Amino acid sequence: MPTIKETAVITGANRGLGLEFVRQMLNSGYKVIATCRQPDDAEELYQLAGSGSLTVLPLEVDDPHSVDSFIKAMDEQPVDILVNNAGVMGAPAQDIDNMEVNLWLKLLRVNTIAPFELTTRLLPNLRMSDRPRVIAMSSQMGALNSNGEGFYAYRSSKAALNKVMQTLAIQLAKEHIIVCPVLPGWVQTDMGGKDADISVDESVKGMMRLLENLSLEQSGQFLTWHGTQHTW
């Protein structure tokens, strides 16, 4: 069994990228605090418990009461890495002639505001680390040089996330807290679909290498899963 070296918090850990982050981090010796909305239904997540130090906590990132309970449960727990992975794509009704405004608000709450809130609420825990790092899963669809149509709610929520993470990075640099939005690539998940470019395993391996080598000089950059800087 590898020696436990750091503690990571992963949101949306019951499937896709989040679940793979848990698997690879446990195998690499991290202590992992995994969150999801319904832990009782997260069978695949609990199956990983035997491979390392895993704690599963309930967290619905857009529910203030759930966030409060999670922060209370974290108490004096140091956090070295926060992976803001929880996010939603939303329904197809995101076009000029078919926009659900309430859906738009939901996506902004989950994809943009929740990563900010969770990061700031966990600052006391991050400050206990010798090398605190925060990443948030972004998207090419949130880059202003992306010229696709439709999906206004999703695109804008990820573009706003990029700016929020960049601003946090600037403000927290004096405390040596590294903050970056990260592009995981077009990944073969429920959201990305089976025709996506890369596997979940490949994407997370790249982001694990990124987290291992992330420096304060890179804080605030929009980085890709293989460690290069992406155009905003």
Side-chain angles (χ1 to χ4, degrees):
M1 180 68 63
T3 302
I4 293 174
K5 50 185 177 181
E6 289 186 313
T7 297
V9 172
I10 304 166
T11 66
N14 59 314
R15 64 177 184 172
L17 291 171
L19 184 65
E20 186 60 27
F21 258 117
V22 174
R23 178 180 290 109
Q24 293 193 26
M25 283 188 160
L26 288 174
N27 289 338
S28 296
Y30 289 87
K31 177 180 179 180
V32 176
I33 300 170
T35 77
C36 59
R37 288 181 295 175
Q38 301 291 338
D40 290 343
D41 298 330
E43 294 182 11
E44 286 186 85
L45 182 55
Y46 281 108
Q47 288 173 3
L48 301 177
S51 59
S53 179
L54 174 65
T55 300
V56 180
L57 294 175
L59 176 61
E60 193 155 356
V61 295
D62 60 339
D63 181 340
H65 298 294
S66 179
V67 173
D68 286 345
S69 296
F70 172 71
I71 295 300
K72 185 177 180 179
M74 291 296 292
D75 193 23
E76 297 295 319
Q77 170 65 58
V79 174
D80 301 288
I81 295 172
L82 169 59
V83 179
N84 286 297
N85 170 69
V88 289
M89 184 80 175
Q94 300 185 44
D95 215 333
I96 290 176
D97 301 320
N98 187 22
M99 172 57 71
E100 295 180 18
V101 174
N102 287 336
L103 167 71
W104 201 334
L105 293 171
K106 169 76 171 179
L107 264 63
L108 287 169
R109 178 72 183 127
V110 174
N111 294 349
T112 309
I113 298 172
F116 170 83
E117 183 176 20
L118 197 58
T119 301
T120 55
R121 294 287 298 273
L122 284 174
L123 280 176
N125 308 78
L126 289 161
R127 288 173 179 138
M128 296 179 197
S129 170
D130 293 331
R131 187 170 163 252
R133 289 98 78 202
V134 178
I135 63 170
M137 295 301 104
S138 188
S139 170
Q140 167 63 26
M141 293 173 72
L144 296 184
N145 69 339
S146 173
N147 296 319
E149 296 182 357
F151 289 96
Y152 282 83
Y154 183 76
R155 291 179 190 277
S156 62
S157 72
K158 291 299 186 178
L161 171 68
N162 289 346
K163 192 62 183 180
V164 166
M165 292 295 111
Q166 182 194 54
T167 306
L168 277 173
I170 293 169
Q171 189 164 359
L172 296 175
K174 60 182 177 291
E175 299 188 61
H176 301 281
I177 298 175
I178 301 169
V179 184
C180 290
V182 174
L183 176 66
W186 184 23
V187 189
Q188 296 159 7
T189 61
D190 290 344
M191 186 181 294
K194 63 180 181 180
D195 295 326
D197 291 335
I198 59 173
S199 68
V200 173
D201 174 75
E202 186 179 3
S203 174
V204 173
K205 278 182 179 176
M207 289 188 284
M208 288 282 289
R209 287 192 296 270
L210 174 64
L211 281 167
E212 289 281 356
N213 298 297
L214 202 54
S215 67
L216 190 61
E217 289 72 28
Q218 293 172 292
S219 192
Q221 295 179 4
F222 186 14
L223 300 172
T224 70
W225 62 277
H226 42 73
T228 60
Q229 192 169 355
H230 195 277
T231 304
W232 292 97

